Amino acid sequence: MPLPGTRVVAYVLLRRAVPELLVFDRVGPAGVGTRGPAGGAGPGEGPERAVLREVAGEVGPVGVTVVRRIAVEDRPHPHPAQPRRTTFFLLRAPDGTPDAG
């Protein structure tokens, strides 16, 4: 059996009077819906490093920090049905992080 692909998902908490979750609305052929920063880990890249890179790449260098790992899910990638491991992280953005990029 091949080694699983590694995917990471970030739940970024923004500090506000009422805490907010950083999400994007995706519209178009690549997907429709609301999601947070996510992506794959490169060869030899650990999940924590990958999630920080993904957030910086999708949001910009806002200086988020990893609070904790939330969960790990082993589920085949839908197309093609190859093994995949997804690690979900809770991250915190610093005070003053803008609402939109």
Side-chain angles (χ1 to χ4, degrees):
M1 175 180 237
L3 294 173
T6 301
R7 181 173 178 263
V8 293
V9 176
Y11 292 98
V12 181
L13 209 52
L14 301 172
R15 296 180 194 190
R16 305 286 189 262
V18 175
E20 298 175 2
L21 194 60
L22 179 81
V23 296
F24 306 100
D25 289 323
R26 303 278 183 178
V27 179
V32 177
T34 302
R35 71 172 192 89
E45 183 179 39
E48 188 169 310
R49 181 175 218 161
V51 78
L52 292 171
R53 177 185 48 73
E54 285 295 331
V55 171
E58 294 186 28
V59 179
V62 295
V64 296
T65 55
V66 174
V67 175
R68 66 183 169 90
R69 181 174 58 192
I70 298 171
V72 177
E73 173 186 67
D74 290 313
R75 180 182 295 185
H77 188 284
H79 305 287
Q82 295 293 317
R84 180 171 71 176
R85 172 169 286 164
T86 302
T87 305
F88 300 86
F89 288 94
L90 174 63
L91 293 90
R92 181 165 288 133
D95 292 341
T97 300
D99 287 338

